[in-house]
Amino acid sequence: PKLYAQSAVLMDGDTGRILYEKNGDTPRPMASTTKIMTCILALEMGEEEDPVTVSARAARQPKVRLGAPEGAVFSLKDLLYSLMLESHNDTAVMIAEHIGGSVEAFAGLMNRKARDLGCRDTCFLTPNGLDARQEGPDGETWMHSTTAADLATMMRYCVWQSPAGEAFQAICQTRSYSFSDLEGKYTGSCVNHNALLSMMSGVAAGKTGYTDDAG
């Protein structure tokens, strides 16, 4: 059958062996699949009941977004459902600032984790996956990107190897979720947009994403 994806990898979840690939090592923009790494770092480094505040930078993020005003405070647990089900861009920035202290510092944590997992062709610049480019110290251009092989490696880690794997799966398998900020002034409602959950059985986790560059 014709495979329309520009890149693809089929990986054995137990061993990490790649069984099939199409341009598996070609770096490409990764859109909101970025949030896979944002989520697992938050689960491993934060606590579910941590209070997380909407910053000015988070409130300025483009759609899709939760849309809560600057200063509102949510629990980290609730924001992880906002992140993975609705793919809210402001939520990703809130989580990054909470865990890393800043978006830039959190991107450093993301890249360090990717290297630890053996993902050598991945470059994280944002926690939400919006298209981004940055000039490196030697004048080279860095692009927010990954490869199909690296992305499969990251997902394998999140589902099967991370100490937070069960919590990660529970979030990704949730069909809908509602929550409010800690003062009860603002509410959020999330629906999982991963169509595979209803198309086939046995889906452990997944993440959708779209940007102009990523398609």
Side-chain angles (χ1 to χ4, degrees):
K2 185 175 180 60
L3 184 65
Y4 290 94
Q6 292 183 339
S7 292
V9 156
L10 176 65
M11 177 181 284
D12 185 314
D14 290 327
T15 66
R17 179 189 174 204
I18 293 178
L19 307 177
Y20 168 84
E21 67 175 305
K22 175 184 176 182
N23 300 322
D25 294 321
T26 301
R28 301 188 187 280
M30 58 181 127
S32 285
T33 58
T34 298
K35 295 174 176 124
I36 293 168
M37 181 64 83
T38 302
C39 182
I40 202 64
L41 284 179
L43 287 170
E44 292 181 350
M45 301 179 69
E47 299 292 336
E48 287 188 346
E49 301 310 315
D50 285 353
V52 182
T53 303
V54 181
S55 68
R57 183 172 184 173
R60 292 195 302 267
Q61 295 301 300
K63 294 181 179 180
V64 176
R65 62 189 177 194
L66 177 60
E70 180 181 353
V73 183
F74 296 85
S75 75
L76 179 60
K77 175 184 178 181
D78 290 340
L79 291 180
L80 291 176
Y81 286 89
S82 166
L83 179 80
M84 296 301 284
L85 273 61
E86 286 290 346
S87 203
H88 289 142
N89 291 317
D90 50 354
T91 295
V93 170
M94 293 162 62
I95 292 171
E97 292 174 335
H98 175 71
I99 298 296
S102 70
V103 167
E104 292 74 19
F106 187 76
L109 295 175
M110 299 171 84
N111 286 312
R112 187 175 307 129
K113 187 71 171 184
R115 289 194 300 270
D116 290 345
L117 297 179
C119 300
R120 295 182 295 273
D121 297 311
T122 293
C123 176
F124 288 110
L125 298 177
T126 76
N128 49 27
L130 296 176
D131 296 327
R133 287 173 172 79
Q134 179 179 313
E135 186 175 325
D138 298 324
E140 73 276 31
T141 299
W142 295 344
M143 180 177 68
H144 185 84
S145 58
T146 190
T147 67
D150 279 2
L151 191 58
T153 297
M154 286 184 269
M155 183 61 98
R156 175 180 177 241
Y157 170 78
C158 293
V159 173
W160 305 121
Q161 298 173 312
S162 168
E166 289 187 9
F168 181 85
Q169 287 190 54
I171 293 169
C172 291
Q173 293 174 13
T174 298
R175 301 299 181 97
S176 61
Y177 188 83
S178 298
F179 61 96
S180 65
D181 71 310
L182 298 188
E183 293 186 356
K185 293 182 179 179
Y186 310 102
T187 60
S189 181
C190 303
V191 175
N192 200 323
H193 294 277
N194 180 10
L196 281 175
L197 287 175
S198 57
M199 290 172 61
M200 59 182 294
S201 62
V203 177
K207 182 71 190 77
T208 61
Y210 175 85
T211 63
D212 289 341
D213 285 352

